[in-house]
Amino acid sequence: MASSEERRTPREQRRGPVVRRHGQMQAGTTDQHLLDTRGTADWVHEDPFRVMRIQSEFVEGFGALAELPPAISVFGSARTRPGTPEYEAGVAIGRGLVEAGFAVITGGGPGAMEAANRGAMEAGGVSVGLGIELPFEQGLNQYVNLGVDFRYFFVRKTMFVKYASGFVVLPGGLGTLDELFEALTLVQTKKVTRFPIVLFGTGYWRGLVGWLRDTLVAEGKAGLHDLQLFHVTDDVQEAVGLVTKEAGM
């Protein structure tokens, strides 16, 4: 016969879909922890609570962007200075996309993102900024008329792709490259279809394109047809025309 101590100690602990046994069991119940006002606030940093935050970010993003007209995401460096040829190209691209019937989505920051948002807003279009929480202050630029700030990069990335019909990629740094290669991977693996990608600035992208062709493809790490997943141009009208035509407008 089991002792009184054994009868008081459960063999397993069930909390919703989670089963804990042996050394993984925790003291107390979920309700007890919820209603207990004593102790620290460490629970707001634990993974189950993070899941709720992640869920709320998806809900907020979907809710804010669900009624967007057809849109194009424009990427580029936050360090692009106003008045430079790259900045002015971003303004012209943003304006051209609106005139072609598209909203413009950027990361909402300064530089090339600001330029595209500026062109879109000055053309009377929908200028979207999807910001991200960073260790240093940045915030949405003044030319965003619909903005959403995110804690998590992967939620933000989903919004860039889900609500855009294509990408225009201006010269940029690691963040720009991250978005570019994610988009290329999604198209290559057919996770998205009819998704044109245009790289603006042949001089800037020449080295990368050469490496893709002469190393990646040459060594069999990608197929020659993968180089057709994107276009490279220096012409604003061509960039707008390529991305909007292939997007189905």
Side-chain angles (χ1 to χ4, degrees):
M1 178 178 295
S3 68
S4 59
E5 182 64 28
E6 288 174 331
R7 287 196 297 270
R8 288 195 300 269
T9 304
R11 294 181 180 275
E12 66 180 27
Q13 183 182 62
R14 292 180 179 268
R15 290 186 174 174
V18 179
V19 177
R20 293 180 179 275
R21 293 173 176 161
H22 310 300
Q24 292 299 312
M25 289 192 291
Q26 299 174 336
T29 65
T30 302
D31 283 341
Q32 179 184 347
H33 289 297
L34 173 65
L35 298 173
D36 189 358
T37 58
R38 295 170 296 176
T40 70
D42 290 346
W43 62 275
V44 301
H45 304 295
E46 295 175 354
D47 286 342
F49 187 73
R50 288 193 180 101
V51 170
M52 299 302 293
R53 278 183 169 172
I54 292 166
Q55 182 183 44
S56 71
E57 289 209 346
F58 276 113
V59 171
E60 291 292 340
F62 291 160
L65 304 176
E67 296 182 356
L68 274 184
I72 299 296
S73 289
V74 181
F75 299 99
S77 175
R79 303 180 185 186
T80 300
R81 294 185 176 278
T84 62
E86 285 181 13
Y87 186 94
E88 295 306 319
V91 173
I93 288 170
R95 182 185 304 115
L97 291 172
V98 167
E99 292 172 349
F102 285 78
V104 171
I105 302 173
T106 79
M113 294 173 281
E114 176 187 293
N117 284 133
R118 179 175 181 174
M121 192 187 79
E122 291 179 347
V126 181
S127 177
V128 180
L130 305 182
I132 185 69
E133 181 182 284
L134 295 171
F136 45 88
E137 187 66 31
Q138 181 167 305
L140 297 176
N141 68 68
Q142 62 181 318
Y143 301 104
V144 169
N145 54 33
L146 176 59
V148 185
D149 274 317
F150 295 92
R151 286 187 179 93
Y152 301 101
F153 268 112
F154 57 87
V155 180
R156 181 179 182 239
K157 287 180 177 183
T158 300
M159 303 302 157
F160 278 129
V161 177
K162 179 173 175 58
Y163 293 104
S165 302
F167 283 0
V168 176
V169 189
L170 298 165
L174 296 178
T176 301
L177 292 173
D178 178 46
E179 298 293 351
L180 168 61
F181 279 101
E182 181 161 40
L184 289 171
T185 301
L186 290 172
V187 177
Q188 182 198 50
T189 57
K190 302 190 184 301
K191 294 293 185 180
V192 294
T193 55
R194 296 178 62 83
F195 200 88
I197 301 168
V198 176
L199 308 185
F200 187 87
T202 56
Y204 188 84
W205 297 111
R206 184 177 295 115
L208 176 63
V209 174
W211 177 79
L212 292 174
R213 181 188 62 245
D214 300 333
T215 301
L216 204 70
V217 173
E219 294 187 6
K221 305 298 190 298
L224 187 61
H225 60 279
D226 290 327
L227 298 180
Q228 299 174 8
L229 298 178
F230 59 88
H231 306 275
V232 187
T233 183
D234 288 316
D235 185 86
V236 169
Q237 291 185 340
E238 183 180 19
V240 171
L242 284 168
V243 79
T244 55
K245 180 180 179 181
E246 291 193 26
M249 290 292 286

